[in-house]
Amino acid sequence: MTTPAAQPPMRTSNEATEEQLAVARRQGQAYGGALRAMAEEDGAQSQLAGDYLVTFVNEEAEGMYELSGGQLLWREAAPDANVHLEVAVADAADGRFIPGLDVRITVSRNGQPVATAGLPFLWHPFLYHYGGNASVPGPGPYDVTVRIAPPQFMRHDPVNGKRYATPVEVRFDQVMFANGRKTSPDAQPRGADAPTIGGDGAGPRDWADTAAASRTSDDAGARAPHDAAGVPSIGRW
């Protein structure tokens, strides 16, 4: 069940004049234009939930650069990946993209999860989003659940900073998936394939676990997804 929409504050304060709030709205309008373009291109769906505007879209699995050992390495979409899952989260009042969130996704078919994971932030030349490649059994339809935890970052402003305080859940039902894999043979230098969510017959799998396993043991990034006890984050609720 999708969390009911709220209306985060957008008022003048000792931190924000009306002119400054107008600047924020213009930033949000620019990001909203990118969301609309994505909807026209790939059929993105959006819903208001809590203090957020949450957008989900899927496209063919694709590779990405990752900084590893001081250099950018291209990580091609793995052979088993057949979809790229994207979640864009914007503020419901000003429309700006919200970074630094803990975003989780579960893809289900006939009531059974086929892929679940925490989605990292991904830089994109067109649309900032959280995302990752997955392996799913065909085009669907699938039910997609997105969960967003209250972020830990500080909030400026005694009036407008009172936002993002409760968990949010958003459901997108009966979504058809684009099944395919986009390759980039000219991207160099190359590293290991990008991690894939699900698809190995062992049930749902977390992005952070797979990313850690795919790195070498001397890579500091391989240790980042683990908790204080040395256990990899499983990225589930």
Side-chain angles (χ1 to χ4, degrees):
M1 183 179 198
T2 295
T3 303
Q7 183 60 48
M10 195 74 175
R11 303 192 301 273
T12 57
S13 69
N14 64 356
E15 277 288 321
T17 66
E18 187 54 52
E19 290 78 11
Q20 290 169 333
L21 294 175
V23 170
R25 292 188 184 95
R26 288 196 293 272
Q27 293 177 49
Q29 289 167 2
Y31 188 68
L35 290 175
R36 288 189 294 275
M38 181 64 76
E40 293 171 1
E41 179 179 340
D42 292 313
Q45 302 179 43
S46 297
Q47 290 191 52
L48 288 167
D51 291 334
Y52 307 106
L53 173 67
V54 181
T55 300
F56 173 74
V57 67
N58 71 89
E59 54 187 25
E60 292 183 342
E62 56 191 312
M64 289 160 277
Y65 279 110
E66 180 182 41
L67 188 65
S68 178
Q71 67 172 336
L72 288 170
L73 296 178
W74 181 258
R75 304 187 69 187
E76 194 74 279
D80 65 338
N82 63 356
V83 68
H84 183 72
L85 308 175
E86 300 186 4
V87 175
V89 186
D91 186 279
D94 60 36
R96 293 184 295 172
F97 175 78
I98 306 172
L101 296 177
D102 179 356
V103 176
R104 318 278 180 174
I105 191 169
T106 298
V107 178
S108 301
R109 189 175 190 179
N110 300 322
Q112 297 299 315
V114 299
T116 185
L119 298 181
F121 168 75
L122 299 179
W123 184 91
H124 190 277
F126 167 46
L127 183 78
Y128 288 160
H129 64 273
Y130 300 88
N133 293 333
S135 177
V136 296
Y142 297 99
D143 296 328
V144 177
T145 302
V146 177
R147 297 181 176 92
I148 305 170
Q152 298 302 305
F153 55 70
M154 305 287 280
R155 287 93 155 140
H156 276 290
D157 197 314
V159 174
N160 299 299
K162 299 180 86 171
R163 64 210 314 125
Y164 320 145
T166 58
V168 165
E169 180 172 302
V170 186
R171 283 185 57 99
F172 300 92
D173 293 331
Q174 299 295 291
V175 181
M176 299 301 295
F177 279 13
N179 286 166
R181 177 172 170 266
K182 185 191 306 181
T183 60
S184 300
D186 296 330
Q188 298 292 335
R190 304 177 80 83
D193 288 343
T196 304
I197 304 164
D200 58 3
R205 171 170 79 186
D206 178 68
W207 172 283
D209 289 340
T210 310
S214 67
R215 297 181 175 120
T216 60
S217 60
D218 60 350
D219 183 352
R223 298 185 291 276
H226 294 65
D227 65 17
V231 179
S233 163
I234 62 171
R236 302 180 190 169
W237 282 39

